[in-house]
Amino acid sequence: MPSRERIILGIDPGTTIMGFGIIRVLDKKMSLIELGILKLGKIEDPYTKLKTIFEKMIALIDQHHPDELAIEAPFFGKNVQSMLKLGRAQGVAISAALSRQLPITEYYPKKIKQSITGNGNASKEQVAAMLDNLLNSPLAAEELDATDALAAAVCHFFQTNNKTTGSGNKKGWKGFLADNPDKLISRS
């Protein structure tokens, strides 16, 4: 049976910093392609920020040819203006993906954290540490927006891998460890 390669683009939307993480999946094994942030804080005009997000998304899509987009959904906050800005950033990122016919899946932050660490209330640092372990790749701890985006991509892999690889009744960590015994760390 020929192996199928999938490339998943993860996005942590924002109007000050947008994180992105791209993984390759081959034979149920993940590897990191690219991880980074788009800094938008010095751009004063809000519409220019949105245009910059759109252009960066198109550039990432055209360079890496992802098969799917996983994006963090906005969480409910107390500051309505912040929510509106975040929603615009997310909408522009989604529009860029739609313009290139990419399937899109949204994940709430708690779902992403639960998928990566087993704890929906995990800190950003805990998520980054787990991703470092899962991908066997040292990740820059100071770029937590980038690791949040990477977490969205890895969460999407976990969610879709369980549906498409015949894992049967295996769920969550038990299923992941059964499929990936090399990721188990012995604490002696």
Side-chain angles (χ1 to χ4, degrees), residues 172-188:
W173 283 106
K174 287 182 182 178
F176 174 77
L177 291 174
D179 290 340
N180 301 279
D182 57 310
K183 299 294 182 188
L184 185 60
I185 298 173
S186 175
R187 305 268 186 217
S188 312

Side-chain angles (χ1 to χ4, degrees), residues 105-182:
T105 306
E106 277 186 274
Y107 294 100
Y108 287 104
K110 278 189 175 278
K111 177 69 171 180
I112 294 170
K113 292 175 181 182
Q114 176 72 35
S115 179
I116 304 301
T117 68
N119 176 2
N121 294 315
S123 70
K124 288 176 175 274
E125 293 80 8
Q126 290 171 316
V127 171
M130 184 59 79
L131 288 169
D132 181 55
N133 181 42
L134 288 170
L135 294 166
N136 294 321
S137 179
L139 306 173
E142 66 274 2
E143 293 188 6
L144 293 175
D145 292 293
T147 55
D148 281 354
L150 182 61
V154 173
C155 171
H156 184 68
F157 164 66
F158 288 159
Q159 298 303 307
T160 57
N161 191 40
N162 284 341
K163 293 176 189 169
T164 60
T165 61
S167 293
N169 294 330
K170 294 184 261 181
K171 301 247 187 217
W173 283 106
K174 287 182 182 178
F176 174 77
L177 291 174
D179 290 340
N180 301 279
D182 57 310

Side-chain angles (χ1 to χ4, degrees), residues 53-110:
I53 291 168
F54 187 86
E55 289 169 346
K56 180 63 174 181
M57 285 291 299
I58 293 296
L60 287 169
I61 293 166
D62 288 349
Q63 178 183 357
H64 297 289
H65 306 287
D67 299 291
E68 301 155 275
L69 171 71
I71 190 165
E72 187 173 298
F75 56 92
F76 297 102
K78 294 181 181 179
N79 186 328
V80 175
Q81 287 301 316
S82 293
M83 287 297 299
L84 287 171
K85 289 176 185 176
L86 183 60
R88 286 178 176 173
Q90 184 196 37
V92 167
I94 289 171
S95 294
L98 288 171
S99 77
R100 296 295 195 258
Q101 291 83 42
L102 279 183
I104 300 157
T105 306
E106 277 186 274
Y107 294 100
Y108 287 104
K110 278 189 175 278

